[in-house]
Structures are given as C-alpha cells and as structure tokens.
Amino acid sequence: MRSLYVAGKSPLHRLPATAKIAGLALAAVLIFLTRDPRFLVPALVLSSGLYFSLGQPITAAIRPLRPVLATILLVGLFHLLLTSAEEAMVTTLRLSTLMMLGAAVTASTTVSAFIDTITRAASPLERLGLVKAADIGLSVGLVVRFVPEILTRYEAIREAHRARGIRPKITTILGPLIISTLKDADNIAAAIDARGIRGQ
C-alpha cells in the first residue's frame, strides 16, 4: 500500500506524534470558534506553508489534496447557493485550513506512530471497560493507510475509463471503487483475525 507519510527531517517531523495530534485537535477547535477572515486567512496561509515545507515536490504534495479540495469547494458552492456568500467563505476557509493541517500531520507522522499515540490516548477508556485501546489504534492506523490506497484505486479506474474511450463520471466510477475497497477491507479483516492482532 502507498503511504501518505513523507520521510524528512523538518521540525514537524521531529515533533512527537502526541504533540502533533493534540495540536491538530486544538487548532480544529480554535478555527471553529471564529468566523473572522482576518484570523482564518492567515491560518490557512500558515497551515499551507507548514505542509509545503515538508520537502515534497509541489506536484506530489498537491496530488493527495485534490479530491479533498474538490469536496470542500463543492460544500462551499452549496453554502453559496443555499445560505450566503459569507457562510460559503467561512466554511471554505475553515475546511481548507483543517485539510492543510491534517495533511501536514499525516505527511510527517508514520502510521505506527499514529497507532501508538491513539492506543495510549484510548487506554483510560479501556480501563473503564468501554473500548479496546489496541482496536482503536489499529482502526485509526488502517484509515490513515487506506486513504492513499483508495485515491490510487480511483485514479486507476478513471484511467481505465479513459483508455476505453468512456468519459469518467462519478456514477460509473463510484460503484467499482466501493466494491474493490470493500473486498480489500474484508481481506484485511480476515488477515487481522487470522493473526490474532485485534484485542480479545
């Protein structure tokens, strides 16, 4: 599987995963506490600078953001049509900032570091008998690892459509994408159970 992690020696790479994930959560809360563009625009600029400072080529850095950015623009368009231009702008700025921050954290943190951090964070809930901390960590790790795989599969299906002279449409791509993703999920779940990885 392709990973979103990008090896590097930037200050963000050297920062502990716990600090990065906690900072991301705090930033998400703060972003949604304001509607002022005087704060949201600089936040977007700073988060974008943080992501693009990780040492990736520009094209490689932009590629995984395109589907998320398209979704954000679509949400902004809905707000523009159904609510107001101000609401569309605020929503787009907020979501774009979160996208850049999330991308920066994901690109500078290994999957194993994600799993270890989430598992430790969920340990108090396990002591209360509410969850299995290892299962929570494994779930987050699989989500992080599956995102680039889904994007790769989407691109492959789209190129296959073009090779057959079929115009790629979401209605013709979504079905095969969901089916192939669910098959992989079943295979991975079976492999996890066979190895006894999940908490008992």
Side-chain angles (χ1 to χ4, degrees):
M1 287 186 180
R2 190 176 72 180
S3 174
L4 291 174
Y5 174 72
V6 178
K9 297 181 179 179
S10 71
L12 192 61
H13 280 89
R14 295 194 293 269
L15 200 64
T18 302
K20 286 185 279 190
I21 295 173
L24 177 61
L26 177 61
V29 172
L30 294 177
I31 287 169
F32 279 88
L33 289 178
T34 181
R35 297 176 55 86
D36 193 338
R38 291 176 298 177
F39 294 103
L40 293 175
V41 171
L44 176 58
V45 172
L46 289 174
S47 60
S48 300
L50 185 65
Y51 176 65
F52 288 110
S53 70
L54 297 179
Q56 302 181 78
I58 295 297
T59 53
I62 292 175
R63 189 179 300 117
L65 301 180
R66 287 184 298 185
V68 183
L69 181 58
T71 303
I72 291 173
L73 293 177
L74 184 62
V75 172
L77 179 61
F78 277 122
H79 275 288
L80 181 62
L81 296 175
L82 301 177
T83 56
S84 65
E86 179 186 1
E87 190 65 35
M89 178 188 64
V90 170
T91 300
T92 302
L93 288 173
R94 284 172 170 171
L95 295 179
S96 297
T97 302
L98 285 178
M99 174 189 70
M100 299 308 300
L101 289 174
V105 171
T106 304
S108 62
T109 310
T110 62
V111 175
S112 60
F114 264 112
I115 293 175
D116 291 343
T117 301
I118 298 300
T119 300
R120 287 196 303 270
S123 294
L125 298 178
E126 182 173 23
R127 287 193 289 270
L128 294 174
L130 299 176
V131 297
K132 294 290 186 181
D135 287 355
I136 300 297
L138 179 61
S139 299
V140 172
L142 287 175
V143 169
V144 172
R145 196 61 188 257
F146 247 103
V147 168
E149 188 69 15
I150 293 172
L151 295 178
T152 299
R153 189 172 289 112
Y154 169 81
E155 292 170 0
I157 294 173
R158 184 179 60 182
E159 291 304 317
H161 277 62
R162 288 176 176 169
R164 293 179 174 85
I166 304 172
R167 183 180 177 183
K169 296 180 181 179
I170 190 64
T171 52
T172 58
I173 293 177
L174 193 58
L177 181 62
I178 292 175
I179 291 171
S180 60
T181 301
L182 289 177
K183 284 182 178 179
D184 276 356
D186 284 340
N187 292 336
I188 291 175
I192 289 173
D193 286 340
R195 289 166 175 80
I197 296 175
R198 288 193 286 189
Q200 301 298 321

